[in-house]
Amino acid sequence: MKIAIGADHAGYRLKDEIVPFLQSLGHEIEDLGCDCNQSVDYPDYAVPVAERVAEGKVDRGILICGTGIGMSIAANKVPGIRCALAHDMFSAKATREHNDTNVLALGERVVGPGLAQEIVRIWIETPFSNGERHVGRLNKVKQLEAANVVHP
């Protein structure tokens, strides 16, 4: 799987733990930064990762900031993105099975590297259930998204 990953200054250390972990599982990683503890703006990293996913240039995306909240808000502004914040293994699995998420947000200040790796592993390995009720709900989300897209 090809995965884009991005982090702000509050998430880059966890990103640097997750990248080699994903590579050890055989995934190709596009690291879109950041790589420093100097204050940066999370949308500047969330949007490029989300766009890569939405355009089909990568299979999935992972975003990391202090809490994961800002990254998930910014990523979900990109049409076609279903970004979920997960800080536990149950949520990581459910968000794939039920919501077919294509971007995962994590908070470095919330989860440690060991738990983050387990969350990522579960999220990567869990397929969408394709259950009728879940497909129907996702179609409703897609309709909402289409109705709210601003056309130039």
Side-chain angles (χ1 to χ4, degrees), residues 3-4 8 12 19 21 57 62-63 85 93-94 96 102 105 118 142 150:
I3 302 165
D8 70 1
Y12 85 95
V19 168
F21 172 71
K57 294 180 178 172
I62 297 174
L63 296 166
L85 172 60
K93 184 176 175 100
R96 284 288 310 134
N102 50 16
E118 271 306 292
K142 289 175 185 175
V150 177

Side-chain angles (χ1 to χ4, degrees), residues 6-125:
D8 70 1
H9 60 282
Y12 85 95
R13 287 175 293 278
L14 184 57
K15 176 181 66 73
D16 290 348
E17 298 274 343
I18 297 296
V19 168
F21 172 71
L22 287 167
Q23 290 169 327
S24 77
L25 297 176
H27 301 291
E28 182 182 344
I29 307 303
E30 275 190 42
D31 186 342
L32 301 180
C34 94
D35 293 312
C36 67
N37 62 3
Q38 308 271 329
S39 184
V40 297
D41 298 330
Y42 59 82
D44 295 342
Y45 298 90
V47 171
V49 168
E51 287 176 340
R52 302 280 297 154
V53 174
E55 293 166 357
K57 294 180 178 172
V58 297
D59 300 301
R60 300 228 194 120
I62 297 174
L63 296 166
I64 309 166
C65 64
T67 63
I69 296 168
M71 287 289 201
S72 61
I73 291 169
N76 279 316
K77 300 299 181 195
V78 176
I81 294 304
R82 293 175 309 282
C83 179
L85 172 60
H87 290 146
D88 61 83
M89 295 178 287
F90 175 81
S91 297
K93 184 176 175 100
T95 193
R96 284 288 310 134
E97 285 181 339
H98 297 185
N99 309 113
D100 195 21
T101 54
N102 50 16
V103 177
L104 173 69
L106 296 168
E108 180 178 311
R109 295 175 180 158
V110 181
V111 297
L115 178 56
Q117 289 176 4
E118 271 306 292
I119 290 167
V120 167
R121 184 188 60 73
I122 289 167
W123 184 76
I124 292 293
E125 294 176 358

